[in-house]
């Protein structure tokens, strides 16, 4: 790994920023730092990754110009509750994007359960950001690493997802936005959302998450293990499980899975 030449973004003192030019994976680097005793709030940012990863072991393409960061957290909660940090992080990223988009922007950020951030507009819907949550345990107890990637300046190329990649700086009026702008907006947004979560659990941010959610009321299929489940996406409950209404009036609660909506979005920029 090599140190970044342009320095670290300016963030509140709750963060310890480690800015690097190149790493194998920011999540791997954050894990090494965690095992060495790094504190809560350690944030690893890299200009490029040589082996970036998404969910389910998928490759995360990492061209220079986009955001690759991993946030080390040491939540004093059981591991089952710590999984909610994916929703906390996604909502904070939506807050950050909303804060730096120009007034009157024709796109809006939308969270997609459990870990993606979309940009939605008249031209369609595209995937802007994703979070990979990993956990471990050391002498200090449980730690969680939230690995976050976002398409800020560069289109990463085709993917196998239903939602095509979308680039923040390609949106009208947003051409000036850089990785640093997004990171500096995310920092305080995350502290605000995590503080609410720590005080009141997911219930404290659930309504805001639902207000920003993509696909409420739409037919969705959740790929969960070997048996996909289809129903109407009715939101999430207070523990973060997805609520999927069934034709017989019952509701399935799913704690994990990949959501695919029945009507894929229009391909192209929003």
């Amino acid at each position: 790994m090599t140190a970044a030449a342009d320095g670290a973004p300016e963030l509140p003192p709750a963060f310890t920023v480690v800015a690097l030019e190149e790493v194998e994976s920011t999540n791997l680097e954050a894990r090494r730092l965690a095992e060495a005793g790094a504190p809560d709030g350690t944030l690893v940012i890299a200009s490029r990754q040589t082996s970036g990863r998404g969910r389910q072991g998928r490759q995360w393409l990492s061209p220079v110009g986009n955001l690759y960061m991993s946030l080390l957290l040491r939540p004093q909660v059981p591991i089952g509750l710590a999984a909610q940090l994916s929703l906390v992080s996604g909502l904070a990223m939506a807050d950050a994007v909303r804060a730096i988009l120009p007034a009157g922007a024709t796109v809006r950020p939308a969270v997609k359960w459990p870990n993606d951030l979309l940009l939605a507009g008249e031209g369609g819907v595209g995937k802007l950001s994703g979070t990979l949550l990993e956990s471990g345990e050391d002498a200090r107890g449980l730690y969680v690493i939230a690995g976050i990637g976002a398409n800020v300046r560069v289109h990463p190329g085709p993917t196998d997802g239903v939602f095509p990649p979308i680039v923040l700086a390609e949106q009208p009026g947003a051409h000036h936005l850089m990785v640093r702008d997004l990171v500096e907006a995310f920092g305080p947004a995350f502290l605000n959302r995590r503080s609410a979560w720590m005080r009141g659990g997911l219930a404290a941010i659930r309504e805001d998450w639902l207000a920003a959610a993509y696909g409420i009321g739409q037919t969705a299929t959740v790929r969960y293990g070997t048996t996909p489940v289809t129903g109407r996406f009715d939101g999430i409950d207070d523990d973060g499980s997805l609520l999927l209404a069934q034709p017989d009036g019952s509701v399935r609660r799913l704690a994990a899975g990949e959501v695919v909506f029945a009507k894929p979005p229009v391909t192209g920029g929003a």
Side-chain angles (χ1 to χ4, degrees):
M1 64 183 180
T2 55
D6 55 355
E10 295 182 6
L11 289 171
F15 296 96
T16 302
V17 181
V18 180
L20 304 168
E21 281 293 337
E22 181 179 290
V23 291
E24 183 179 357
S25 157
T26 57
N27 265 33
L28 287 176
E29 184 60 26
R31 185 177 292 276
R32 294 187 191 104
L33 293 172
E35 298 292 346
D40 178 277
T42 298
L43 182 64
V44 179
I45 304 173
S47 298
R48 66 180 70 86
Q49 300 179 116
T50 58
S51 299
R53 291 177 295 116
R55 292 181 71 234
Q56 300 178 352
R58 297 184 180 123
Q59 181 186 16
W60 184 277
L61 300 176
S62 305
V64 174
N66 289 343
L67 171 63
Y68 318 107
M69 68 180 181
S70 293
L71 178 58
L72 170 62
L73 303 167
R74 295 187 179 275
Q76 302 300 308
V77 298
I79 189 168
L81 292 181
Q84 296 174 4
L85 284 164
S86 180
L87 301 175
V88 175
S89 172
L91 184 56
M93 185 59 76
D95 293 341
V97 171
R98 193 177 299 112
I100 63 176
L101 280 172
T106 57
V107 293
R108 61 176 179 82
V111 290
K112 175 178 174 286
W113 188 90
N115 70 324
D116 288 341
L117 183 68
L118 312 175
L119 277 185
E122 294 180 358
V125 184
K127 179 176 175 179
L128 176 68
S129 175
T131 299
L132 174 63
L133 210 66
E134 297 181 324
S135 63
E137 191 169 348
D138 59 15
R140 299 176 59 180
L142 172 71
Y143 65 82
V144 174
I145 297 168
I148 302 168
N151 305 321
V152 179
R153 304 285 309 172
V154 182
H155 198 288
T159 69
D160 59 359
V162 173
F163 295 92
I166 193 168
V167 177
L168 184 61
E170 291 180 356
Q171 307 314 305
H175 309 297
H176 64 288
L177 292 177
M178 307 294 287
V179 168
R180 187 183 187 110
D181 298 311
L182 184 55
V183 175
E184 291 181 348
F186 173 80
F190 180 81
L191 293 179
N192 177 52
R193 293 299 187 178
R194 185 176 72 160
S195 177
W197 174 74
M198 290 173 65
R199 292 193 308 268
L202 194 64
I205 65 169
R206 177 175 174 270
E207 291 306 314
D208 286 348
W209 192 95
L210 291 172
Y214 178 83
I216 298 285
Q218 291 188 28
T219 298
T221 296
V222 180
R223 297 170 178 166
Y224 183 69
T226 58
T227 307
V229 181
T230 298
R232 186 184 68 238
F233 175 36
D234 275 359
I236 59 173
D237 62 16
D238 283 351
D239 70 4
S241 295
L242 180 141
L243 303 177
L244 208 60
Q246 301 298 288
D248 63 3
S250 64
V251 176
R252 291 287 301 270
R253 288 170 169 80
L254 300 171
E258 182 175 6
V259 179
V260 178
F261 290 97
K263 295 181 180 179
V266 177
T267 302

